[in-house]
Amino acid sequence: MLFLLRGYQEDSKDELEPGTVLDYILPIWRVGECLLHAKRLGRELGEENTSVTVQARWTGLEGRTLGSIENRRGLFPPIERESHQATVTASQRFTVQDFEDALPEVVETLTQPLYQIFDFYEPPSDLIQNELDRMQSQ
């Protein structure tokens, strides 16, 4: 069993009021990072076909709006998307091999419930793949 607990990076930005924004890129990176760690652990244990249950839980969401702290990509359509829900949880069972073969799809599955509470926001089809590529190149 592995566990990661962290605050929202957005809340540490001087120019933003804590608890008001959720960067729509960062959940892709954070979930992707966790899945890559699980994949590496599975490889080290020699168990790539092992099933893994992944659960992601975001709290403190009510009243936050989707935004971008890096302003790299704009949200389209450019409308305010606010959460009226405090907490969202996503849970799914995967194999470690799924993280190798279909990482963008796994990240999409786990982040979809989060994005939906922001007025049913759906990330552009290429966003998850592009951000995972960017994350892995750094």
Side-chain angles (χ1 to χ4, degrees):
M1 181 176 273
L2 302 173
F3 179 82
L4 172 66
L5 175 67
R6 63 181 297 155
Y8 293 105
Q9 188 173 333
E10 301 88 322
D11 291 348
S12 65
K13 294 289 186 182
D14 291 336
E15 63 273 10
L16 296 174
E17 181 71 28
T20 60
V21 174
L22 178 76
D23 187 291
Y24 72 111
I25 300 289
L26 291 176
I28 295 167
W29 281 54
R30 300 301 172 247
V31 170
E33 289 166 344
C34 288
L35 298 176
L36 291 173
H37 285 296
K39 179 179 87 171
R40 286 185 200 106
L41 179 61
R43 279 188 178 162
E44 291 297 317
L45 297 173
E47 300 293 332
E48 290 189 10
N49 292 319
T50 297
S51 290
V52 176
T53 299
V54 179
Q55 181 176 355
R57 184 170 184 242
W58 292 271
T59 61
L61 299 171
E62 189 166 10
R64 288 183 186 262
T65 57
L66 282 180
S68 175
I69 61 174
E70 291 185 12
N71 294 318
R72 289 186 325 100
R73 279 178 88 140
L75 286 173
F76 297 101
I79 60 172
E80 291 289 316
R81 294 178 181 268
E82 184 177 337
S83 172
H84 300 285
Q85 186 173 321
T87 302
V88 66
T89 302
S91 183
Q92 188 78 29
R93 187 182 250 346
F94 304 98
T95 66
V96 173
Q97 190 61 44
D98 290 335
F99 306 151
E100 179 77 37
D101 297 339
L103 183 63
E105 291 82 2
V106 173
V107 170
E108 180 178 10
T109 297
L110 290 169
T111 57
Q112 184 178 36
L114 171 66
Y115 291 127
Q116 285 181 341
I117 69 165
F118 287 91
D119 298 325
F120 302 100
Y121 175 68
E122 292 184 32
S125 58
D126 64 334
L127 177 69
I128 293 173
Q129 178 68 59
N130 290 342
E131 289 302 322
L132 291 173
D133 289 346
R134 185 169 169 250
M135 176 195 73
Q136 292 178 77
S137 71
Q138 293 188 356

